[in-house]
Amino acid sequence: QLQLQESGPGLVKPSETLSLTCTVSGGSINSRYWSWIRQPPGKELEWIGSISYTGATNYNPSLKSRLTISVDTSKTHFSLMLTSVTAADTAVYYCATDSSPTRWFIWGQGTMVTVSS
Amino acid sequence: EVVLTQSPATLSLSPGERVTLSCRTSQSVSSSSLAWYHQKPGQAPRLLIYNGASRAAGIPDKFSGSGSGTDFTLTISRLEPEDFAVYYCQQHHSSPYTFGQGTKLEIQ
């Protein structure tokens, strides 16, 4: 059974880079689409971006200038890098996947990231 | 960007009742481009409906989705205690894929 697990620092300073990894277990990363979605405290979900196993990406335009999503098929994980973070980037970050790039059936448990000095 | 507006923000109901949740999009989307999730406190969202009316794997048939154009609904035919959660609609008609602000279903 495919499972996802997010990992990364829980605290990032303003203007620095937020880096998260999603480890894939129980299945192959060499198929499907892999996505990041976030949820600020008490707010709705926001799609961040997606990547296919071939490396093709699709980013939310509101984050595109600061965002990099990559996939490492040999190590069965995919990653998110968000530069120049501010308090507005404080959120629970989820990784998720599906056979379609536009919906998400399998989710990680989420990881809380706080941007604060 | 397609904006999704859900109503009402909160619904107080009792187990056994039937409920219909509303999701309105700011522009017309394909009837097959709407998904529904629910989320319980401290948990990740769970996909219920995709492509407007298709149930995700493992989702019971008490959940049904419908709609077209700019108006979509999720119906739960008979509420059970585990159904009380926040429900989100999401459009996958055009990028960026956006979510509604959620409807909280609470036990009366």
Side-chain angles (χ1 to χ4, degrees):
Chain A
Q1 183 177 351
L2 195 65
Q3 292 185 315
L4 306 178
Q5 177 67 60
E6 305 90 349
S7 59
L11 182 64
V12 181
K13 290 183 167 55
S15 79
E16 294 190 344
T17 296
L18 183 164
S19 295
L20 296 174
T21 294
C22 182
T23 301
V24 180
S25 60
S28 174
I29 203 169
N30 292 319
S31 64
R32 309 174 71 93
Y33 294 86
W34 309 92
S35 303
W36 289 97
I37 295 152
R38 70 181 182 179
Q39 186 172 35
K43 296 188 177 181
E44 65 263 32
L45 299 153
E46 179 183 28
W47 170 71
I48 297 171
S50 302
I51 189 168
S52 72
Y53 70 97
T54 62
T57 56
N58 185 14
Y59 294 160
N60 190 319
S62 68
L63 299 168
K64 188 173 183 177
S65 64
R66 301 190 291 131
L67 181 63
T68 302
I69 297 177
S70 59
V71 62
D72 187 329
T73 56
S74 63
K75 296 184 179 179
T76 66
H77 69 242
F78 63 106
S79 302
L80 172 150
M81 285 181 52
L82 188 65
T83 62
S84 306
V85 297
T86 69
D89 295 309
T90 294
V92 175
Y93 284 76
Y94 295 100
C95 57
T97 185
D98 204 308
S99 56
S100 164
T102 60
R103 64 174 187 258
W104 305 283
F105 180 65
I106 298 173
W107 295 65
Q109 66 184 26
T111 186
M112 180 69 202
V113 178
T114 301
V115 178
S116 175
S117 55
Chain B
E1 168 174 322
V2 180
V3 177
L4 282 69
T5 302
Q6 293 184 243
S7 60
T10 305
L11 265 177
S12 297
L13 296 167
S14 300
E17 290 193 83
R18 176 188 178 93
V19 63
T20 297
L21 308 181
S22 172
C23 176
R24 179 163 290 178
T25 58
S26 61
Q27 56 188 265
S28 183
V29 303
S30 163
S31 60
S32 62
S33 299
L34 208 288
W36 291 89
Y37 300 78
H38 72 187
Q39 184 179 33
K40 298 178 184 179
Q43 296 185 18
R46 183 180 184 187
L47 178 65
L48 303 172
I49 300 288
Y50 65 97
N51 290 353
S54 299
R55 278 185 297 277
I59 301 302
D61 59 8
K62 66 178 179 179
F63 291 95
S64 61
S66 64
S68 63
T70 60
D71 291 294
F72 298 87
T73 59
L74 173 73
T75 298
I76 310 172
S77 61
R78 185 177 172 84
L79 284 169
E80 297 180 76
E82 61 266 26
D83 299 329
F84 291 90
V86 179
Y87 287 77
Y88 294 99
C89 56
Q90 175 240 328
Q91 63 84 19
H92 49 98
H93 176 79
S94 61
S95 180
Y97 311 117
T98 47
F99 293 84
Q101 84 281 14
T103 289
K104 183 179 182 180
L105 208 50
E106 59 180 28
I107 297 178
Q108 190 171 48

